[in-house]
Amino acid sequence: MLIHGLWMTPLSWHDWVSYLEDRGYRVIAPTWPRMDRPIEELRAHPSLVGGLGVTEVTDHHAELISRLDTPPIVMGHSVGGLVTQLLLDRGLGAAGVAIHPGQTKGVFGLPPAQLRAALPAVGNPFNLNRGVPLTPAQFHWGFANALSEEDAREAWSNHHVPAPARPLFQAALANFTPRAATRVDYRKADRAPLLFVAGDADRTVPASVVKENHRRYKSGVTHYMEFPGRSHFTVGEKGWEEVVGRSLEWAVAHSAGARSGS
């Protein structure tokens, strides 16, 4: 199962789906709730995703997993990586790969670059229940900074949609919220193996934040993997094959019951 993040749709997984299917895997890349619409409609009506939060997205994917015959390997990008952690915390999945993930409660690092990248959404408190788009310039700076301006513009044109701002507010305020939607049990003994993937050029979720998120886990099988020169758009930029290949290799080697074709 592949879980997309903010400002994206399942289209962002196109190359990964082909890669995995070519190797015999059944791949599910669902859309988030309320986002099962043409990309043009989502762009024209940002209010469609307004107010969508972390718990609603997690519940949606948990329901999909409950219908499967065998526990899947769950790979999530950005807020999808946060959702991956929450799903494993619920006892779901055979293994998880959190790719440049939004952080869980208890992670305190907030580099200036991450704050700047989030400002289009969280800079205005009235955005809490709104869908917020990125301009091409904002997308290039915070999301696809490893790409040229031309390639970033093309990625924005092909993939970008307005994102609900609520998950960013939930992550930003989690450490001040007793029952935060982003909390996990870092000492959970029976959690499925979990891989953290970071890129040292990411500004939206800097590698230092992913590294701290990984360090918070005190039990179970976890691992941290960092790729040089990769921005937040790692799933779509040049060299994505190495990221999916190494992530898959780790997940298959560490998962219980996950197999090709399941």
Side-chain angles (χ1 to χ4, degrees), residues 46-144:
S47 61
L48 289 170
V49 300
L52 185 62
V54 169
T55 299
E56 187 176 353
V57 176
T58 305
D59 288 345
H60 173 74
H61 289 87
E63 170 62 23
L64 295 176
I65 290 175
S66 72
R67 302 176 192 172
L68 301 177
D69 295 332
T70 56
I73 293 172
V74 182
M75 297 184 178
H77 172 242
S78 193
V79 169
L82 167 60
V83 171
T84 297
Q85 296 180 69
L86 296 170
L87 290 170
L88 266 61
D89 191 64
R90 296 186 185 190
L92 301 173
V97 181
I99 304 161
H100 301 219
Q103 63 264 38
T104 48
K105 179 177 180 177
V107 177
F108 289 90
L110 186 62
Q114 185 177 30
L115 181 60
R116 176 178 169 181
L119 273 179
V122 301
N124 181 354
F126 292 105
N127 283 341
L128 176 61
N129 291 310
R130 294 174 178 170
V132 179
L134 296 177
T135 66
Q138 289 168 339
F139 182 86
H140 186 203
W141 190 92
F143 208 102

Side-chain angles (χ1 to χ4, degrees), residues 19 33 101 167 174 194:
Y19 181 101
L194 176 58

Side-chain angles (χ1 to χ4, degrees), residues 106-262:
V107 177
F108 289 90
L110 186 62
Q114 185 177 30
L115 181 60
R116 176 178 169 181
L119 273 179
V122 301
N124 181 354
F126 292 105
N127 283 341
L128 176 61
N129 291 310
R130 294 174 178 170
V132 179
L134 296 177
T135 66
Q138 289 168 339
F139 182 86
H140 186 203
W141 190 92
F143 208 102
N145 51 290
L147 277 63
S148 67
E149 183 176 354
E150 180 181 359
D151 289 343
R153 166 71 79 150
E154 181 179 1
W156 180 89
S157 298
N158 291 337
H159 298 291
H160 168 268
V161 295
R166 180 176 287 273
L168 291 174
F169 280 96
Q170 290 175 310
L173 299 175
N175 292 325
F176 309 99
T177 306
R179 297 185 60 81
T182 64
R183 70 189 185 280
V184 298
D185 180 1
Y186 291 120
R187 299 184 181 276
K188 183 178 176 64
D190 58 350
R191 184 192 320 103
L194 176 58
L195 171 65
F196 287 86
V197 175
D200 71 358
D202 192 339
R203 292 171 172 169
T204 295
V205 186
S208 63
V209 176
V210 182
K211 193 176 297 185
E212 182 185 351
N213 199 161
H214 169 248
R215 287 200 310 266
R216 295 295 172 187
Y217 282 82
K218 306 302 181 184
S219 65
V221 177
T222 63
H223 187 69
Y224 175 82
M225 189 180 296
E226 185 173 320
F227 291 87
R230 303 201 66 76
S231 74
H232 198 63
F233 192 54
T234 188
V235 301
E237 66 192 27
K238 185 178 179 180
W240 61 265
E241 297 92 342
E242 182 183 8
V243 181
V244 64
R246 291 180 60 186
S247 297
L248 177 65
E249 181 181 19
W250 188 95
V252 171
H254 291 86
S255 64
R259 60 183 183 275
S260 178
S262 65

